[in-house]
Amino acid sequence: MSISKEYEQLIAARENLEGDIDYDRNPVIIRMIELLSKDINATVSFLDEECTESQFVWMSEIFDEIVERTKSREFIDALRRTAKKYPQATAKYNIEYFIESAEEYIE
């Protein structure tokens, strides 16, 4: 299954979560992090070629966890490119802040 299809299924499950979410224990969040961390080159390609605005916004919740696991500068660079593709969402959801926060895990 491609990243895009599995990630869409996880987003659908994530949208149904309510209240305080334990990011360390929630199986949907854990699976999202695992999916996007296991092959960082595939994730970078996904960001560059397929990622929708909605998918990008949902991913912003877990930028830190992905970078903490992968220490990937390429991922940060791909996030910045994707943020430029979706400037309205980036501004609305303060995504630059989340990118900068995640970047601290590799500095």
Side-chain angles (χ1 to χ4, degrees):
M1 183 181 297
S2 73
I3 286 178
S4 186
K5 285 184 181 178
E6 186 172 352
Y7 186 47
E8 263 313 308
Q9 292 173 349
L10 290 166
I11 288 170
R14 168 64 185 91
E15 288 175 323
N16 292 322
L17 299 177
E18 297 180 6
D20 290 335
I21 297 169
D22 184 344
Y23 281 79
D24 294 327
R25 293 194 177 94
N26 184 283
V28 173
I29 303 296
I30 290 168
R31 183 64 197 126
M32 282 179 150
I33 296 165
E34 288 171 351
L35 173 69
L36 298 168
S37 298
K38 73 179 175 186
D39 181 347
I40 203 63
N41 292 326
T43 300
V44 167
S45 292
F46 167 72
L47 281 164
D48 286 340
E49 298 166 18
E50 298 178 64
C51 189
T52 67
E53 183 176 69
S54 174
Q55 290 171 328
F56 185 58
V57 169
W58 282 109
M59 191 186 300
S60 69
E61 292 186 323
I62 55 172
F63 289 167
D64 284 0
E65 290 81 358
I66 295 167
V67 176
E68 186 175 20
R69 284 179 177 215
T70 65
K71 307 293 188 213
S72 175
R73 168 64 55 198
E74 292 80 12
F75 178 69
I76 294 290
D77 293 344
L79 292 177
R80 292 197 190 287
R81 289 190 299 273
T82 307
K84 286 180 184 170
K85 281 196 284 191
Y86 304 120
Q88 290 178 323
T90 297
K92 180 177 181 181
Y93 297 102
N94 201 17
I95 291 177
E96 273 300 325
Y97 168 80
F98 294 113
I99 295 171
E100 290 168 9
S101 174
E103 193 170 25
E104 292 177 10
Y105 285 95
I106 51 177
E107 291 181 342

